[in-house]
């Protein structure tokens, strides 16, 4: 079933075309490095998933498979880490004393959770690795929601409409994870969704939608940050 999944490969090709076409390269400003982190964040999950699905039938057995799964999760960790940096940067654009600390703090948090959640689970206890990854990504999601909450409460800044994109991004990612864990709809009809319409494919489609929402929010956010002048305190 896994080898018949087209979404990761199609998503990777789509983003390789979409990102260069929709990025305002001539308006990068002094924060151009954030465009690079955003591109890596959008490409990392489909790239990791493509490698995982491409080599998962390797005859190396469980050790190879679990390491491929860790590589797949590395893509998720990268979008959680790098994808949030522009959000934090723009939300705290008018708080220059707090912004570097928040960016550094989130990076350190992501590094710690990555070291905690990415190692491959032991073959006899894979559930331990899965739960560790969920906890690790949960810490990152909590930090992002805190930043979005600050923006929604008027304590942060950013382009109008971007906050809604970020909330939809996390909602789609959460929904995809829940569908994949719940094994829906194949739980209701065993054998009927072995090739198409299964939970794994739905999760991939929702993940693509989540990345698109991130892109839809970050582009206007960074353009806003490049043009906005903060009022003196």
């Amino acid at each position: 079933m896994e080898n018949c999944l087209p979404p990761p490969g199609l998503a990777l090709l789509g983003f390789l075309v979409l990102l260069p076409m929709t990025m305002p390269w001539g308006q990068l400003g002094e924060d151009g490095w954030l465009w690079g982190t955003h591109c890596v964040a959008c490409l990392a999950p489909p790239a990791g998933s493509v490698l995982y699905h491409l080599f998962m039938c390797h005859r190396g057995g469980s050790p190879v498979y679990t390491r491929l799964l860790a590589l797949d999760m590395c893509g998720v960790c990268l979008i959680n880490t790098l994808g949030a940096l522009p959000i934090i940067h723009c939300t705290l654009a008018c708080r220059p004393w707090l912004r570097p600390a928040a960016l550094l703090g989130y990076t350190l948090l992501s590094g710690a959770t990555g070291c905690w959640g990415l190692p491959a689970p032991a073959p006899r206890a894979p559930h331990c690795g899965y739960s560790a990854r969920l906890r690790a990504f949960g810490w990152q999601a909590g930090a992002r929601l805190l930043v979005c909450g600050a923006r929604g409460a008027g304590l942060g800044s950013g382009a109008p409409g971007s906050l809604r994109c970020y909330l939809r991004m996390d909602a789609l990612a959460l929904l995809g994870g829940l569908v994949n864990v719940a094994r829906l709809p194949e739980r209701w009809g065993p054998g009927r969704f072995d090739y198409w319409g299964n939970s794994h494919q739905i999760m991939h489609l929702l993940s693509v939608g989540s990345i698109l929402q991130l892109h839809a929010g970050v582009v206007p956010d960074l353009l806003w940050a490049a043009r906005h002048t903060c009022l003196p305190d």
Side-chain angles (χ1 to χ4, degrees):
M1 177 180 70
E2 299 282 359
N3 291 328
C4 298
L5 292 174
L10 293 177
L12 180 59
L13 292 175
F15 285 126
L16 286 173
V17 174
L18 174 69
L19 291 176
M21 291 177 58
T22 57
M23 296 287 280
W25 300 105
Q27 307 174 52
L28 299 184
E30 62 181 12
D31 300 322
W33 64 276
L34 287 168
W35 295 107
T37 63
H38 174 65
C39 288
V40 174
C42 291
L43 293 173
S49 189
V50 165
L51 292 174
Y52 165 66
H53 288 100
L54 183 62
F55 294 105
M56 66 179 300
C57 291
H58 191 280
R59 296 184 179 180
S62 180
V64 173
Y65 174 80
T66 51
R67 282 163 177 77
L68 285 171
L69 182 59
L71 178 63
D72 189 16
M73 291 297 102
C74 184
V76 180
C77 185
L78 281 175
I79 191 172
N80 283 338
T81 303
L82 300 180
L85 297 184
I87 302 175
I88 298 172
H89 177 87
C90 295
T91 299
L92 302 176
C94 295
R95 299 180 183 273
W97 55 273
L98 180 59
R99 183 171 62 185
L103 290 171
L104 178 61
Y106 186 80
T107 302
L108 293 176
L109 171 66
S110 298
T113 55
C115 292
W116 180 21
L118 283 182
R124 294 184 180 180
H127 59 282
C128 296
Y130 301 151
S131 60
R133 287 169 185 144
L134 289 175
R135 289 194 298 270
F137 296 150
W139 281 107
Q140 290 179 306
R144 289 195 306 275
L145 288 176
L146 182 63
V147 172
C148 290
R151 182 183 290 199
L155 301 176
S157 53
S162 287
L163 178 58
R164 290 191 294 272
C165 292
Y166 300 145
L167 294 177
R168 287 194 292 265
M169 170 194 74
D170 274 327
L172 288 172
L174 176 61
L175 180 60
L178 292 176
V179 168
N180 195 40
V181 170
R183 295 291 185 262
L184 297 175
E186 60 266 25
R187 174 175 292 185
W188 298 329
R192 296 176 57 188
F193 303 96
D194 285 351
Y195 293 100
W196 300 104
N198 54 71
S199 60
H200 196 82
Q201 292 172 330
I202 294 172
M203 179 271 293
H204 276 300
L205 293 174
L206 291 172
S207 298
V208 170
S210 178
I211 298 173
L212 289 173
Q213 288 298 315
L214 172 65
H215 185 61
V218 164
V219 170
D221 237 2
L222 289 179
L223 286 175
W224 174 91
R227 300 166 180 168
H228 181 72
T229 301
C230 296
L231 298 176
D233 294 334

